[in-house]
Amino acid sequence: MPDDTGSPGPVSGAATSPMPPSRPGLIRSIAHRLAGEQLGLRVEGRLASFDGATGWLNSDALTPEDLRGRVVLVSFWTYTCVNWLRTLPYLRAWAAKYRSDGLTVIGVHTPEFGFEEDVENVITQSHRLGVEYPIALDNDYAVWGSFGNHFWPAVYIADDEGRVRFHHFGEGEYPMTEMVIQQLLLDTGADGVDQDLVSVEPRGLEVAADWRTLRSPETYVGYRQSTGYAQEGLARFDEAIAYPPPGPLPLNSWGLTGTWTVGGDAAVLTEPHGRLAFRFHARDLNLVLGRSHHGAPIPFRVFLDGQPAVDERGSDVDDDGTGVVSDERTYQLIRQPGTVADRRFEIEFLGAGVAAYCFTFG
């Protein structure tokens, strides 16, 4: 996801940068493992306060003082962020494996879109995703600010004395991160810490991107951050107008068909049978979708190069190329099993009221 706080540049593996996880970091981690060498972990500061949290899920409110004596991993996330979703299998596995050894994982949910501020949405999605560790709700960005954080996802690990000893922004570095957890647990005197690394089986949105073939960037539909919009000459922001089909699209550009209201955060379909098209180059295409008002689920049909996306369907599309928008979240619409090339994606919504926020790719 983008750096809303004005960070000076992108982070490898973060949502704003379709770059592969650092291979040297993985090699270094394995080298440490084979040599039995202690990691050189400097003290980066103190574990910041969670006092600004607007609520807690899965736990009573926690403080750094409450956590003294335990190793603490703090994960900054927002539930639509595909980059965080791809780290989630490791977070779940670490929380389960090392809990009895003295590890506490805390997820700080700092929302990007307005619907992610809704506590019921976070509860629903955390249950769906299997997030069982404590969650600090950070709707006011207060905890984000206390940590001086700039990115989703971000991990900070503190030792049993409350000193931050490691951080990582973006995806990747899973062996190194787990080895830090192990070393800090051993430093507390924990016995019997299993030093094998976890093995995960990600599915759907949690599967790592195919970085070799990824040529399309995260792209926002709302005009505040939009790029690649092929119909700028026709657009009337914050008012409903009828858009003709956009015609041929250059790579990484998109367009609308039907009556839409393009707002600052999303484009909202105001009449049924509207379409959204994108020319992309990636194995996966995902789209953050919601509804402008609560009501019946909104059915959709997905096409690839003009044909129903059947063999190339994502995890949120049925085997006939159809699906429904039932809640506000990230939907995986395309996963190509074969050769990746420039393709034209199109989605038709059969009912009005759908809101389209952001494309991501993998």
Side-chain angles (χ1 to χ4, degrees), residues 57 79 115 117-127 137:
L57 303 177
Y79 76 74
F115 61 79
E117 298 177 5
D118 187 315
V119 175
E120 291 303 317
N121 282 346
V122 181
I123 291 172
T124 297
Q125 298 306 318
S126 62
H127 287 170
L137 301 175

Side-chain angles (χ1 to χ4, degrees), residues 56-60 62 77 104-108 131-136:
W56 286 81
L57 303 177
N58 304 334
S59 172
D60 293 332
L62 296 171
W77 65 300
T104 295
V105 175
I106 297 174
V108 178
V131 181
E132 299 178 350
Y133 47 78
I135 299 169

